[in-house]
Amino acid sequence: MVSLSEKMAASLDMSAFEKADELKKRLWFTVFALIVFRLGTFIPLPGIDPKILSEIFARNSGGILGMFNMFAGGALERMTIFALNIMPYISASIILQLGQSVLPSLMALKKEGEAGHRKITQYTRYLTVLITIVQGYGIAVGLEGMTGGAGLSAVINPGFVFKFTTIVSLVGGTMFIVWLGEQITSRGVGNGSSLIITVGIIANIPTALAQTFELGRVGSMSGFVILMLMVMVLALIYVIVLVERAMRKITIQYPKRQAMGRMGAADSSHLPLKINPTGVIPPIFASSLLLLPITIANLSAENGPSWVADLSRLLGHGQPLYLALYAFLIAFFAFFYTAIVFNPQDTADNLKKHGGFIAGIRPGKNTAEYLDYVITRLTVLGAAYLVALCILPEILISKLSIPFVLGGTTLLIVVQVTMDFVNQVQSHLLAYQYDSLIKKASLAQRKRR
């Protein structure tokens, strides 16, 4: 039997969209905010020679620097005020979430509900500023040490003033992006942070395709390889959509209830558990922890200590150590974040409180153990899927010098965020249709009276 929500979802059309004024306002706000973000990626840091910077970046863009530039939407290549993008905020969120599992004070804040959540968010902002200051100083020092082919420095006037202005500009740019992301989440459609990263990736897709076809034109890559690359991209998109929609449904049964002197039929529902409940969080967290320290090491490798150059080489894009660390961090955050978003004990307690149970499983502790067993197995599959999806294309990219934007990590982010965006639009349309039905029902009742 088709439910009311399924019927309404099937009936969503442009006429419903045209009447949903609130949704249109949210969409226009989201578009305007993302345009502001893109404009900010073209405002350069003061005191940098753009020609020498472009020459230096072209010499190093094939490594991890190019991948970070892809996440920053090209802002790093132009060394703009948005060069760090939202990555410091993500790093701060990781540290605070890890701290909630270790520090009793943060654990207590987490249990305080909305008030505790606001305090943790505020601490995350403070930590973001601190991380951006440290990374901004590293980038300023690295820029002062970088020279072009003629031996000229990328910085026009090195010194304290340049370092100070660079740090202030990067802190201001990063915190503005954080604020913009929060505004998109509350007043727009979709998750602001994810949309900002996705827009930065999408902005690089035309350039990446042009670079790939240029490799074919000059003979560096055969037409067959380019064709197979496009087929691989389409296959990855299909796999991502398939896995992200896949879920394990656990049947929840409820006992018969007596109403009006009669015993009603037993009811049942489903507890949906996704194969990948964490979405794009593990790859983004893993990239955030790897990209920024490695980028600073790359910027300082030319004139820095020898161990920095060795570290930069070992953690180069496609190198075994980099791939191993990337795979480990993805798997770690897949398990860590699953433990945050799904608590088997809380779920079992809620089921017991409302009289629900799983057939053949005793309510309470046994149900919690069963749910923990199921979610652990699903997380193993989800972690393996994320590692394979992100690592295998990375190996291919490093061997064939294919642009990073065509890799598994970027495709996962773009497809997952797009699916979430579409789902939120449909949810707003459904809410509008429900409101319309309620208003029509209320009007009909008034007319009958």
Side-chain angles (χ1 to χ4, degrees), residues 270-282:
H270 291 93
L271 176 64
L273 298 176
K274 294 183 64 176
I275 292 180
N276 179 30
T278 57
V280 299
I281 297 298

Side-chain angles (χ1 to χ4, degrees), residues 254-272:
Y254 295 91
K256 296 180 180 180
R257 299 181 183 275
Q258 186 173 358
M260 303 297 291
R262 296 182 180 180
M263 186 65 70
D267 194 11
S268 65
S269 63
H270 291 93
L271 176 64

